[in-house]
Amino acid sequence: MKTIWKFELTPNRVQSVPLPFGAQLLTVRAKDDKAPLLWALVDPDMPTEERYLGIYTTNTALPDDPGRYIGTFLIYEGSLEFHLFEMASPPPETEAP
């Protein structure tokens, strides 16, 4: 049986999140101008895998291929805009040599 889980993210950075294998990323939102929250449809019985996410602000440089767009969220009454992407692989600085 599947369920929806919520994950707290860190704004404006690349990060990894352990999710059950096959998890479907649903949406991202900020709550009360705090850290963004990611919701995912998961099978809690599946083993976890690291998924790589990039959060970028509007008007800042992004990689040439930032990944699959998940959503946009606003904090501080809309004065800061962030955009969440899922990367197909870990960023170069996190890959093993």
Side-chain angles (χ1 to χ4, degrees), residues 25-92:
L25 304 185
L26 300 174
T27 192
V28 62
R29 297 281 185 267
K31 184 175 182 179
D32 300 328
D33 286 337
K34 295 183 181 167
L37 301 172
L38 169 70
W39 283 267
L41 179 64
V42 305
D43 180 343
D45 296 327
M46 296 297 287
T48 61
E49 63 176 341
E50 292 296 316
R51 303 273 286 268
Y52 299 93
L53 306 173
I55 298 179
Y56 307 97
T57 58
T58 298
N59 296 323
T60 59
L62 275 71
D64 289 338
D65 181 10
R68 184 174 66 87
Y69 174 75
I70 304 300
T72 294
F73 61 94
L74 310 173
I75 61 174
Y76 300 118
E77 298 178 0
S79 63
L80 291 177
E81 304 164 341
F82 295 89
H83 313 281
L84 175 67
F85 293 83
E86 181 180 16
M87 295 178 275
S89 61

Side-chain angles (χ1 to χ4, degrees), residues 1-5 7 18-23 40-49:
M1 178 177 284
K2 292 189 177 184
T3 187
I4 296 175
W5 285 1
F7 300 86
L19 292 163
F21 184 80
L41 179 64
V42 305
D43 180 343
D45 296 327
M46 296 297 287
T48 61
E49 63 176 341

